[in-house]
Amino acid sequence: MELVCPAGTPASLRAAVKAGAHAVYCGFADETNARNFPGLNFSREELTEAIAFAHARGAKVLVAINTFPKAGGQDLWHRAVADAERAGADAVILADIGLLAHAARHHPTLRLHLSVQAAAANPDAIGLYVREFGVKRVVLPRVLTVAEIAALNRAVDVETEVFVFGGLCVMAEGRCSLSSYATGRSPNTTGVCSPAEDVVYGTEGGQQTARLGGFLIQRSTPDAPAPYPTLCKGCFSVTDENGEDKRGHVFEDPASLDAAALLPDLAAAGVTALKIEGRQRSRSYVEAVVRSFRAAVDALEAGRPIPEGTLARFAEGGERTTGAYAKPWR
Amino acid sequence: MDLTIGPIQFFWTGEHWLRFYKELAGDPSVTRVVLGEVVCSKRQPFFQTLLPEVVDLLGAAGKDVVLTTLALITHDRERSQTRDLFALGLEVEINDLSALSHVPEGTPFSVGPLVNVYNEGTLGWLAEKGARRVCLPPELPPDSITHLAAAGRDLGVAIEVWGYGRLPLAISARCYHARLHGRGKDACQFVCAEHPDGATVNTLDGTPFLAMNGVQTLSAAHANAARMVDDLVAKGVAALRLSPQTQDFDRIRTLFRDRLEGRIDEKAMLAAMPDLPYADGYLRGEAGASW
């Protein structure tokens, strides 16, 4: 299976390639990609150099242009596709139908991958993207069980890629506007979720707090670990039908996806590529996670047992989950 | 500008459901009604048998009757139900793009707010496939509405905007109502029926923030385009969508109709609205929650 690894910077890209990534994905430093964070991402020159570096070492570079182009401003996204092709990208990762149609028409030899942000979760949706735009690979949304992924792979004739490690969306990707509801900016529109600029940390009543767009997302004792206040992993309260106040992480716990233990099942399910989330993470994080997963993939292919995980220290708040891959998650 | 009544987002009893549509049939202010289940396929059996009666009732009252698809189609059963929708001879509103695979060649259809139509490229592609009306995703800022309404005019696609009701913000494979009760989705025991307008999710300092409705997450505040009516008319928006709720929905319909027909002004409309937390930030290019 191909290991697809994140790179938020040229240094991370080089580290990922050296650590054994078969492919690296990255984006331009603007609203065209879904990790549009300050200080991250690539200029045109940096991308060209990074692709030369990766290609010289046998690794591919995939360029994510996976936000939804703004009405009246589609040129920025069209230019990103053209520039990625010119820089020698092995594929672009797109989510928007209009942009896919544009790429298929104007860049017919450019390989198209369907971003997880398109949330294509069944054979009809996937078939549509394959038929209409010639998509070669689909990154599956994190809402499917392993059994469903296996069934899907039997029903479609396209490569599939699944997330195995890192941040976890609890909502169908590309179909969530919680972030813009609180802050005005969302993954679909500007490529950010729960943006740091809208986070205010404070102390209230002796407890540490984190607010997003003014809404209290977390409150904890000063010595407790405080994960980043991603909206869907916040702590809230709901009054149930008996009038009882239920407090907690009502949507999702602040946990990271770790499907390392499921690699044999994912291989048996017919998955082509394994994706590691985290373009916003540090170079050392990327290097360690890539190295660990490459060892796991190599072991799997050699028929050896998968090495025990050494990645717990990287998980959000130390908690790990296999997410929707196991049905009880639902 | 017309008024469309969106599908009921919540789980209502069959009796409640039928009563709602009987009342709606008698309301001349509404031109278009979108029926059916958009959130969870497990709810469908509870009103499926009542659907033909309501279709006839609304049709006889001169309304355009449209059937919605689910917002997240995953199981094979849901796929075949979606295919069957197109065989009923009524217009279908697609709320999951995968439903496009089932549209019979040459059949016009409409597109609901849960499909990502963010730009002219996507709108044009959907128009080529037969889309005749698109209700825009509520998240879109005013500039985007301007551009898409203009593009829609050129393409012959009517553009609709979310006008009233809790905003559909996210959809998931996980059922939050079941999770709240420590159950899995398959063993949910239909607890979402206990909250016919969704269960309000408060921040820990008591601010109503979001609402859960099974696998769907909505805003706690009710989106309300009352202050943006003139702006949306000027942009060429064809219709406002009102999303059903249990309380005062007849009053809300009447107020929007009176406002559109110039019988009341904005101030009078706002003064007569039910006392609820409101939001219109998206329509003003701000955080969706602002008002």
Side-chain angles (χ1 to χ4, degrees), chain A residues 68-74 78 96-99 101 105 117-119 121-129 131-133 142-144 148 155 170-189 204 211-212 214-219 231-232 235-242 245-253 321 324 327-330, chain B residues 70-76 79 83 95-102 114-122 125-126 128-129 139-141 143-145 147-148 167-176 178-186 191 194-195 199-205 207-212 215-222 279 282 286-290:
Chain A
F68 292 79
K70 192 176 285 172
Q74 298 178 105
H78 294 172
D96 179 62
I97 295 175
L99 192 59
R105 191 175 308 133
Q117 296 300 113
N122 69 39
D124 298 324
I126 292 171
L128 183 83
Y129 288 104
R131 204 167 54 239
E132 296 286 342
F133 311 118
R142 285 162 276 200
V143 300
L144 300 167
E148 285 166 349
V170 65
M171 309 299 181
E173 294 94 339
R175 306 187 69 185
C176 175
S177 36
L178 292 180
S179 178
S180 64
Y181 182 67
T183 73
R185 294 193 294 155
S186 73
N188 283 7
T189 54
E204 297 172 32
R211 288 176 182 273
L212 182 74
F215 293 101
L216 183 63
I217 304 298
Q218 278 168 35
R219 190 167 65 188
L231 211 160
C232 59
C235 194
F236 303 107
S237 85
V238 180
T239 307
D240 73 9
E241 66 280 6
N242 303 318
D245 192 28
K246 294 193 168 176
R247 288 180 170 222
H249 298 98
V250 299
F251 300 108
E252 176 63 305
D253 300 308
T321 171
K327 206 171 185 186
W329 180 86
R330 290 180 177 172
Chain B
L70 288 167
L72 185 63
I73 300 167
T74 49
H75 304 298
D76 284 345
R79 291 169 66 202
R83 200 174 308 123
N95 271 301
D96 180 323
L97 201 61
S98 71
L100 258 187
S101 295
H102 305 303
L114 301 172
V115 171
N116 286 336
V117 182
Y118 277 71
N119 53 64
E120 303 89 329
T122 298
W125 188 86
L126 288 167
E128 262 175 46
K129 294 286 163 199
E139 179 184 52
L140 290 186
D143 272 2
S144 294
I145 297 173
H147 284 288
L148 289 168
L167 291 161
L169 295 176
I171 189 99
S172 175
R174 171 181 272 175
C175 176
Y176 301 113
R179 177 175 157 88
L180 190 71
H181 289 76
R183 298 173 192 154
K185 186 173 160 187
D186 292 344
V191 277
E194 303 290 342
H195 296 108
T200 301
V201 176
N202 295 298
T203 60
L204 291 185
D205 57 356
T207 306
F209 180 27
L210 301 168
M212 61 170 68
V215 295
Q216 185 186 41
T217 304
L218 303 119
S219 60
H222 293 249
Y282 283 135
E286 296 172 12
S290 61

Side-chain angles (χ1 to χ4, degrees), chain B residues 196-258:
Chain B
D197 290 302
T200 301
V201 176
N202 295 298
T203 60
L204 291 185
D205 57 356
T207 306
F209 180 27
L210 301 168
M212 61 170 68
N213 171 37
V215 295
Q216 185 186 41
T217 304
L218 303 119
S219 60
H222 293 249
N224 184 350
R227 300 190 295 197
M228 307 305 292
V229 169
D230 293 337
D231 179 60
L232 295 169
V233 169
K235 282 176 159 63
V237 170
L240 286 180
R241 171 167 300 216
L242 311 182
S243 183
Q245 64 184 41
T246 58
Q247 300 295 313
D248 299 313
F249 197 61
D250 50 345
R251 176 155 42 130
I252 288 152
R253 292 194 307 266
T254 306
L255 287 169
F256 271 96
R257 174 50 57 196
D258 286 351

